[in-house]
Amino acid sequence: MSITARDSHLGINSMMGYIDFNRNLYYCRRCEEGFAPFDKELDVNDEHRITKNLTETVCDLAQRMSSFKEAEEVLHKYLNIKASHSTIQKISEKVGRRLYEKEKSEAEETYENQHQAIGDIPDHEKRGRIYIEADGSMVLIRGKGWKEIKLGMVFKDETVLNRKRKRHIITEKDYVVSLGSAEEFKKMLLNAAIKNGYGRAKEVIILGDGAKWIWNAADELFPDATFILDYYHFEEHVYECANIIYPEYELARRRWAKVIIDGFMDNKIAETIENIRPEEYTDLIVKEEVKRLKTYLENNHDKMKYKEYISKGYFIGSGAIESGHKH
């Protein structure tokens, strides 16, 4: 192998600003390729000529700021580093794609070998409780229209602060997100769950809004879990129906909804569903809405034992995943 070395100029952007220096560049005449060991020491991005630390900072700002333009302004203001918003976008999207592909690959490996990944721990050795939440939301993507983004979140019960207050705090949580299929998403969710103790936790709680793709994935991946229909989605469905029945009478709406909600909270689930009678309404729109609500409750009744869940200290609302979507 014939290798020659020579000094070569390099200008890079770093956390200390722009750096201009010479370093050794080695060139192989046989393969006609060159390499600079010092570049690898600095972990320099070949395309954009920036260091690894600056790449991480750029990506962090890109996701935290409201726009790439704002990230450009903050980077210049606080670090005196000039990088155009288009460069910041290219860097962050490239890194994002690479991380996403890595996460998908890890999830695929875990899914194919899930029994090995989960292990076989005896029940008496299992400890703690983990929550797994999932939800879908429509987002507008430039050039592609509206797409459903699937978001999952996993956290341990021990990481919850102020748990008895309405606004509790989850100090550690793992998110997974996908614009792909439910099949792809479920593998990523399983991978996150195992990382956070699935297989080692004594209790596993699944919270969802009633979407079939969530329950189908959970049925397959977490058959030993307790499934809970998000209480606030349940309450919202009841009030939406009440608004159709009594559009002009608020007191009547509240009374009608309260009977159903209280029935479920008192664990009188079968009786409450039986007392919802679509056939008693003559208006076709109202009849269809009441029928739709009854079907929703029938399909999810086994996941709505709220009195029991509360007595065990379980969360019954998926507000955390809703907040994740908004963020």
Side-chain angles (χ1 to χ4, degrees):
M1 181 180 293
S2 179
I3 296 177
T4 59
R6 61 183 175 84
D7 282 346
S8 176
H9 169 264
L10 179 67
I12 62 172
N13 278 309
S14 71
M15 293 294 291
M16 297 181 292
Y18 184 75
I19 302 175
D20 198 350
F21 60 93
N22 289 328
R23 87 284 198 218
N24 287 331
L25 179 67
Y26 297 90
Y27 179 76
C28 175
R29 287 196 292 270
R30 178 177 296 178
C31 62
E32 298 183 345
E33 290 186 0
F35 63 95
F38 193 59
D39 291 8
K40 294 190 177 296
E41 286 289 325
L42 293 177
D43 207 350
V44 175
N45 181 297
D46 291 333
E47 182 179 353
H48 299 287
R49 297 296 185 184
I50 66 174
T51 61
K52 179 182 178 181
N53 286 344
L54 183 54
T55 298
E56 291 178 354
T57 301
V58 164
C59 292
D60 196 27
L61 289 175
Q63 66 176 328
R64 291 178 183 273
M65 300 297 104
S66 60
S67 67
F68 296 116
K69 182 65 177 174
E70 186 180 357
E72 173 190 345
E73 294 167 355
V74 170
L75 191 65
H76 184 250
K77 180 178 180 180
Y78 293 103
L79 295 177
N80 198 30
I81 295 173
K82 292 183 179 180
S84 69
H85 63 273
S86 60
T87 297
I88 290 173
Q89 180 176 356
K90 289 176 183 177
I91 292 171
S92 60
E93 289 182 350
K94 183 177 181 180
V95 171
R97 281 192 295 271
R98 191 164 68 241
L99 290 173
Y100 185 61
E101 290 303 320
K102 180 182 178 182
E103 186 175 356
K104 283 204 303 180
S105 178
E106 288 179 357
E108 186 70 37
E109 177 70 19
T110 298
Y111 183 77
E112 293 299 324
N113 301 281
Q114 54 187 283
H115 296 297
Q116 180 179 345
I118 294 171
D120 189 19
I121 298 176
D123 288 343
H124 69 274
E125 293 183 11
K126 294 181 179 181
R127 299 289 184 274
R129 177 191 302 163
I130 64 170
Y131 287 89
I132 302 171
E133 299 185 15
D135 194 15
S137 179
M138 302 303 291
V139 292
L140 183 60
I141 300 177
R142 187 182 296 115
K144 295 184 179 181
W146 290 93
K147 299 284 185 180
E148 184 182 47
I149 187 168
K150 296 176 177 64
L151 182 68
M153 184 178 69
V154 185
F155 63 93
K156 299 176 183 178
D157 189 67
E158 64 195 45
T159 66
V160 181
L161 301 179
N162 301 331
R163 60 175 303 112
K164 293 184 178 180
R165 298 181 184 177
K166 187 174 182 180
R167 297 186 65 83
H168 52 270
I169 300 170
I170 304 170
T171 59
E172 295 178 26
K173 49 197 169 186
D174 268 1
Y175 286 107
V176 294
V177 61
S178 174
L179 277 167
S181 65
E183 184 72 17
E184 176 184 283
F185 174 79
K186 75 178 184 183
K187 297 174 182 178
M188 298 170 73
L189 188 62
L190 174 64
N191 193 44
I194 292 174
K195 286 180 179 179
N196 283 274
Y198 179 64
R200 302 185 301 277
K202 187 175 183 179
E203 294 180 297
V204 181
I205 313 301
I206 310 289
L207 273 160
D209 64 359
K212 286 186 177 180
W213 67 267
I214 294 176
W215 298 142
N216 289 341
D219 273 329
E220 176 193 342
L221 301 176
F222 315 109
D224 54 338
T226 297
F227 292 7
I228 300 177
L229 178 74
D230 171 54
Y231 169 79
Y232 300 102
H233 275 86
F234 155 57
E235 188 180 67
E236 183 180 9
H237 275 279
V238 173
Y239 272 101
E240 284 177 354
C241 186
N243 286 336
I244 299 296
I245 301 172
Y246 303 105
E248 298 178 2
Y249 302 99
E250 183 178 356
L251 184 59
R253 283 199 302 270
R254 290 183 178 276
R255 285 175 176 169
W256 189 88
K258 189 175 186 300
V259 169
I260 295 175
I261 293 170
D262 287 352
F264 274 82
M265 296 305 290
D266 290 337
N267 210 31
K268 298 176 181 177
I269 298 173
E271 179 184 338
T272 302
I273 293 176
E274 180 63 30
N275 288 333
I276 300 174
R277 299 186 176 95
E279 65 276 7
E280 293 182 354
Y281 300 92
T282 56
D283 187 292
L284 290 178
I285 295 176
V286 172
K287 182 179 290 187
E288 283 301 311
E289 190 64 27
V290 175
K291 184 178 180 181
R292 189 178 297 113
L293 173 64
K294 186 169 185 175
T295 300
Y296 173 79
L297 298 178
E298 287 173 338
N299 290 342
N300 292 285
H301 74 277
D302 57 331
K303 307 172 186 71
M304 302 174 72
K305 303 171 185 177
Y306 298 119
K307 187 175 183 179
E308 176 185 328
Y309 305 148
I310 293 171
S311 70
K312 292 181 177 181
Y314 298 165
F315 291 122
I316 60 172
S318 58
I321 198 78
E322 298 286 344
S323 297
H325 266 305
K326 290 176 183 177
H327 181 69

